[in-house]
Amino acid sequence: MADLREPFELCKILQNDSLLGISRHTKEDHILVTFSDRGVLVYNLQLQKLINSWSVKQKDNVTIAAVHDRVEGNFVMVVNRSEIFVWKETDSDLKQCQRIQSDKDICSLLVWKTIQTAPCVVFQDGSSMSLAEIASTSKTETGKRRKTTKFPLDLLWSFALQYQNKPFSASVLVVMHAKNKYLVKIAYHGHSGGVDQEKTAVEWALTPPAKDASLLSCCACEEGHGITSYWSDGSLCFTELESILKFALSDSNNRPSPLTCRRIQRLHPLHSGSDKGSVALAAIDPERVCLCGSITIEGKLKDAIMVWDIKYGTLQSWQTLDKMLAKQNTLQGLGQPRGAFCACYIPGFICVGFCHTVAVCQFCTFPCSLASVLGQLDCTSNFLQDETLKPELLITPKLARPGRPLNVWQKTMKKKDHLEKKKLLKLTDPSKTSTKEALYSELDSYTKMQMKWQEQGNKDEASHEKESENANVLSQHFVSGVLSRCVNEKRFWARDSISKLLKTKCVPPSCSKELLNCIMEKNDLELLNECFENIKGIPEDTVVDCLRHVLRQEHTSPKENAAKSLQMEVQGGQMPLEKANVKYLCAILCYKVNDVFLLPCLKKLPFEDVMLLLKFFMCLLERGQPGFQDVIDCETLTYPQVLDWAGLVLNAHFSQLVISPEAHKLLVRYHSVVSQQVRTYERLRELEGFLGHFKIKTHLPKADQVGLYTIEELEL
């Protein structure tokens, strides 16, 4: 899991395209920000403070963002495309810095954070050299520069890798040699004695996820072995590099297959066109990636920072810049979302360069699990381009039964999926089902059709155990989509449609919270009762919210409740609730919950609700275990359940009950009733053996000292 905090502005970008890049500092909470017009700035992110800066002469133009060499402790950047500036942090300006002239145009500078390796200089033609080698072979500053030859390939991105803790490092280059045709090149640096140099010269074709898709951004984690990429069709993809990395290190000459892009998710476009500078990717770790850009949310284009899980394909956390821009009186032209240019991750922070500002988010990571991923499915679906597709984790596999032809099963599944997609589009489109009658009619016809197909399938398979008539009739994806429409519909209350879905027993627990909140808002207690009868896995906090809602029914309209009130005398005490509301309260109390999760939720109940609930339990306990069904309209609530709930409520509010005078009398009654019933049960236990023997009707064992019968008196 991941958690992004509210972003803050590190600095403004005054001119378009002036930000060249953001890179890591050797200190954990420091960052380097390079501008073409302002030079290099060093920020302390923890303090949100500028601590150092260096500017260049007016005639010089910074072309490659500065990086920090962890081996020598120097800063390195490229000026005028081919001149390398090297300086130390103690230098006050760049007048006396070391200048290294290159024979070729430089594309990027690579540094490693896990190994002691000198920075690597990547040239525009795809070749690379270490900074030390260039410094030893370069001429003086006044030397004449060799004319750069034109290279047909367009170098797009370059990354630094450390594969399997080898004593040498590798760099990955992504180049474009034609329209929407890309190549990947691997180069090794350092003491790479075990690497076949001929194999490293091989270029690998990268197949896009779609025919017309163009690459907008990509990144790679230094500790990983893959490339994460974002394409113009909205595809967020992952490309494995392990096969070609192993190929260069092995003795085998069997060339691996071409590289392919495994689509993680297909998102809504994060850009307004095909500009590759409008989307930024940054690797967090081998399993997570930060994706930044402008996306349409609730009909408005907003700058957003998102963290995606590569393994499960879910959105872990996201933030927009709305609140940050609202706090600042920025010009309207500067605040318009136009995408992100670059992004960088350092432990605890994510820094993103948008077209108008450099934003920073504090970042926390937690171990990811399948349970945490399932909790993010609803949020993830809001950013997917095709919301009609079923999320893979919400589908129950419909496998072919043994003995049946596989091609017949495939045709049947395709037919059912096509029909479900068609019906779901109709049920979720307000223009096609504009009334609650039309919505219910479409849903009812589709449900009956699914039940008919299921019954026919059970008849065809005689050896298969016949399932319940309403079990697994509808997929969770279908039910979630229709329920979302019913809950968000403002023109009418689709009560019958919701009831129809509940009776199928296919409503997933993830939808229960939103559904029950809507039902409580409508104050439909009968439908609330159906939810607790047909939905499994309702969260404990939602159960307590529903309990509180029912308890407060008598306080909503005192005049109407006074006319309908039916108070009953129960062994000297009055029933504190109306008989009509007791029915719904008992349905909640009968629901299966986990005591560990329920106890913290009960602590949030107001004290007046606690007292009302304890008085209700007191009336039931005074009736005793023989039964209280004549007092309440519920046949499922049992005496042990009442005891458990009473004990949990007392534990949750023990301190407040002890110090509150109005609760003392009730606590004394609880003590008296429980003590009396415990004594009764202890004496009844003495009869257990005799009653058991009488029930099985057998003779007593023969003994010489025992008469024909004895008389014993038991006091109850």
Side-chain angles (χ1 to χ4, degrees):
M1 289 295 294
D3 181 24
L4 281 174
R5 307 292 174 83
E6 187 70 29
F8 62 87
E9 186 180 53
L10 191 67
C11 61
K12 294 184 182 298
I13 299 177
L14 304 179
Q15 295 182 8
N16 294 335
D17 302 327
S18 63
L19 178 65
L20 295 178
I22 305 172
S23 58
R24 295 189 298 259
H25 196 282
T26 54
K27 296 182 181 179
E28 290 187 353
D29 55 351
H30 286 50
I31 201 78
L32 297 177
V33 183
T34 306
F35 294 91
S36 60
D37 55 345
R38 296 159 62 184
V40 182
L41 309 178
V42 181
Y43 283 93
N44 186 323
L45 299 181
Q46 197 69 40
L47 302 177
Q48 302 182 24
K49 181 180 179 182
L50 176 66
I51 60 174
N52 212 337
S53 65
W54 298 275
S55 59
V56 295
K57 297 179 181 179
Q58 189 173 3
K59 66 176 182 178
D60 294 326
N61 182 28
V62 182
T63 53
I64 302 298
V67 296
H68 199 187
D69 179 10
R70 60 177 293 140
V71 178
E72 300 293 338
N74 298 330
F75 296 96
V76 184
M77 73 175 177
V78 179
V79 179
N80 300 326
R81 300 173 62 184
S82 61
E83 193 173 1
I84 304 174
F85 280 26
V86 182
W87 74 96
K88 294 185 178 295
E89 192 165 10
T90 55
D91 295 341
S92 58
D93 53 45
L94 300 178
K95 294 180 180 179
Q96 303 298 326
C97 71
Q98 181 185 3
R99 301 188 180 189
I100 304 173
Q101 183 67 41
S102 171
D103 293 339
K104 309 177 197 177
D105 288 344
I106 299 174
C107 178
S108 62
L109 298 172
L110 299 180
V111 291
W112 285 262
K113 64 178 180 180
T114 56
I115 58 174
Q116 297 290 333
T117 302
C120 176
V121 180
V122 181
F123 300 103
Q124 192 64 44
D125 61 359
S127 61
S128 60
M129 292 178 63
S130 68
L131 180 62
E133 293 175 350
I134 298 177
S136 62
T137 59
S138 64
K139 299 179 180 180
T140 60
E141 182 181 358
T142 58
K144 187 177 181 181
R145 183 190 171 201
R146 186 181 305 171
K147 187 177 180 180
T148 304
T149 58
K150 189 175 182 180
F151 192 64
L153 300 180
D154 183 13
L155 181 57
L156 301 179
W157 286 277
S158 57
F159 316 107
L161 292 182
Q162 175 59 28
Y163 180 63
Q164 292 185 351
N165 296 323
K166 298 292 182 182
F168 50 87
S169 55
S171 61
V172 180
L173 309 180
V174 180
V175 299
M176 182 175 66
H177 64 94
K179 184 178 180 180
N180 296 342
K181 292 184 179 180
Y182 304 91
L183 296 176
V184 175
K185 299 179 64 177
I186 305 291
Y188 289 88
H189 312 277
H191 303 287
S192 54
V195 180
D196 189 348
Q197 298 301 326
E198 294 182 359
K199 293 182 179 180
T200 59
V202 179
E203 297 175 347
W204 307 85
L206 180 63
T207 305
K211 183 178 179 180
D212 299 330
S214 58
L215 183 59
L216 298 184
S217 182
C218 60
C219 68
C221 180
E222 184 174 328
E223 299 85 358
H225 43 77
I227 299 176
T228 305
S229 55
Y230 182 81
W231 301 76
S232 58
D233 66 337
S235 297
L236 181 64
C237 302
F238 184 77
T239 302
E240 289 282 355
L241 298 178
E242 188 170 6
S243 59
I244 60 176
L245 291 170
K246 285 183 177 179
F247 174 71
L249 297 174
S250 65
D251 298 331
S252 175
N253 292 323
N254 296 329
R255 182 184 173 95
S257 58
L259 299 176
T260 58
C261 293
R262 176 178 63 85
R263 181 179 289 166
I264 302 171
Q265 288 290 5
R266 188 173 183 183
L267 315 179
H268 289 296
L270 295 184
H271 50 87
S272 57
S274 59
D275 183 14
K276 70 176 184 180
S278 61
V279 180
L281 277 171
I284 297 173
D285 53 40
E287 294 184 353
R288 280 170 283 223
V289 68
C290 177
L291 176 63
C292 311
S294 300
I295 187 172
T296 303
I297 302 175
E298 298 178 353
K300 296 181 180 179
L301 190 65
K302 301 179 180 180
D303 288 328
I305 303 173
M306 298 178 286
V307 176
W308 284 85
D309 186 278
I310 301 174
K311 182 178 180 181
Y312 296 103
T314 54
L315 180 64
Q316 296 295 300
S317 182
W318 64 286
Q319 288 285 350
T320 61
L321 305 189
D322 294 351
K323 295 182 180 179
M324 186 186 77
L325 297 177
K327 295 178 182 178
Q328 304 158 356
N329 296 323
T330 57
L331 296 176
Q332 186 177 2
L334 295 176
Q336 292 178 353
R338 287 177 291 175
F341 174 74
C342 58
C344 180
Y345 167 75
I346 68 171
F349 298 93
I350 290 179
C351 305
V352 185
F354 290 93
C355 292
H356 51 84
T357 185
V358 177
V360 180
C361 278
Q362 284 189 306
F363 182 69
C364 299
T365 58
F366 310 96
C368 191
S369 63
L370 183 59
S372 62
V373 169
L374 290 172
Q376 299 294 327
L377 288 177
D378 291 339
C379 179
T380 302
S381 62
N382 296 330
F383 290 84
L384 301 183
Q385 186 169 354
D386 192 354
E387 298 180 356
T388 61
L389 295 178
K390 296 180 181 179
E392 293 182 0
L393 294 175
L394 280 181
I395 301 173
T396 302
K398 300 176 182 179
L399 304 179
R401 294 177 182 174
R404 297 188 63 183
L406 188 60
N407 58 346
V408 176
W409 169 77
Q410 290 177 337
K411 291 180 181 179
T412 305
M413 290 300 103
K414 288 182 179 180
K415 181 180 178 181
K416 289 185 177 180
D417 287 343
H418 177 73
L419 178 62
E420 181 185 278
K421 180 179 178 180
K422 182 179 178 181
K423 283 288 184 180
L424 185 58
L425 287 173
K426 193 171 185 179
L427 288 168
T428 54
D429 190 352
S431 62
K432 296 180 180 179
T433 50
S434 57
T435 62
K436 61 180 180 180
E437 292 80 9
L439 181 67
Y440 179 79
S441 177
E442 289 291 336
L443 179 62
D444 184 58
S445 62
Y446 178 71
T447 305
K448 290 180 179 178
M449 184 186 304
Q450 292 294 323
M451 293 174 61
K452 183 179 179 181
W453 282 355
Q454 186 182 35
E455 292 174 358
Q456 185 65 31
N458 291 335
K459 291 179 181 179
D460 295 341
E461 188 66 33
S463 61
H464 187 268
E465 183 181 357
K466 188 173 182 180
E467 301 175 357
S468 175
E469 184 181 10
N470 290 333
N472 300 325
V473 175
L474 306 176
S475 70
Q476 292 187 6
H477 173 67
F478 179 86
V479 175
S480 301
V482 179
L483 277 179
S484 179
R485 160 76 195 286
C486 295
V487 170
N488 297 321
E489 183 60 62
K490 304 299 182 183
R491 294 174 296 175
F492 55 83
W493 172 231
R495 185 192 186 284
D496 295 337
S497 299
I498 296 176
S499 178
K500 185 71 176 179
L501 291 173
L502 290 172
K503 291 176 181 177
T504 62
K505 299 185 183 296
C506 298
V507 177
S510 58
C511 300
S512 60
K513 190 178 187 68
E514 184 182 10
L515 175 61
L516 287 169
N517 288 337
C518 180
I519 292 175
M520 286 187 286
E521 183 180 349
K522 300 293 184 180
N523 199 24
D524 195 333
L525 297 182
E526 197 63 38
L527 198 58
L528 186 76
N529 190 19
E530 290 187 24
C531 290
F532 280 90
E533 290 178 354
N534 297 291
I535 302 179
K536 295 181 180 180
I538 300 177
E540 279 73 10
D541 57 344
T542 306
V543 173
V544 174
D545 289 341
C546 296
L547 187 71
R548 179 182 178 183
H549 180 77
V550 176
L551 286 174
R552 297 205 165 194
Q553 283 302 300
E554 57 182 348
H555 303 293
T556 55
S557 52
K559 294 182 179 180
E560 295 181 5
N561 289 332
K564 299 180 181 179
S565 177
L566 180 61
Q567 304 290 349
M568 292 178 294
E569 296 290 336
V570 184
Q571 294 186 2
Q574 288 186 339
M575 176 65 68
L577 300 174
E578 295 183 3
K579 189 173 182 179
N581 295 335
V582 168
K583 169 187 173 182
Y584 308 114
L585 184 64
C586 292
I588 300 174
L589 297 175
C590 295
Y591 195 76
K592 293 182 179 180
V593 291
N594 191 316
D595 297 351
V596 176
F597 300 121
L598 182 63
L599 189 60
C601 301
L602 287 174
K603 292 180 180 179
K604 300 178 182 179
L605 274 177
F607 186 69
E608 56 270 20
D609 295 334
V610 172
M611 290 295 297
L612 188 61
L613 195 57
L614 289 176
K615 290 178 182 178
F616 173 68
F617 292 150
M618 187 73 258
C619 292
L620 299 184
L621 290 176
E622 287 177 341
R623 290 286 299 172
Q625 195 170 5
F628 33 71
Q629 280 72 27
D630 56 337
V631 179
I632 58 176
D633 186 13
C634 182
E635 298 180 357
T636 55
L637 186 63
T638 61
Y639 185 79
Q641 288 176 327
V642 177
L643 281 177
D644 291 340
W645 273 93
L648 287 170
V649 174
L650 289 171
N651 289 336
H653 297 269
F654 177 76
S655 301
Q656 191 173 9
L657 289 170
V658 170
I659 63 176
S660 300
E662 60 269 24
H664 291 172
K665 185 176 180 180
L666 183 61
L667 293 177
V668 171
R669 287 180 61 191
Y670 264 98
H671 175 72
S672 175
V673 170
V674 173
S675 299
Q676 179 183 359
Q677 292 182 359
V678 168
R679 289 195 301 269
T680 302
Y681 294 147
E682 287 179 351
R683 293 180 179 180
L684 285 174
R685 192 177 295 113
E686 299 177 4
L687 289 174
E688 185 177 1
F690 298 100
L691 295 176
H693 182 75
F694 177 76
K695 185 177 180 181
I696 59 178
K697 299 179 180 179
T698 58
H699 295 285
L700 291 172
K702 293 183 179 181
D704 297 336
Q705 300 179 357
V706 178
L708 296 178
Y709 65 91
T710 59
I711 298 176
E712 297 186 15
E713 182 179 358
L714 298 175
E715 180 183 357
L716 294 177

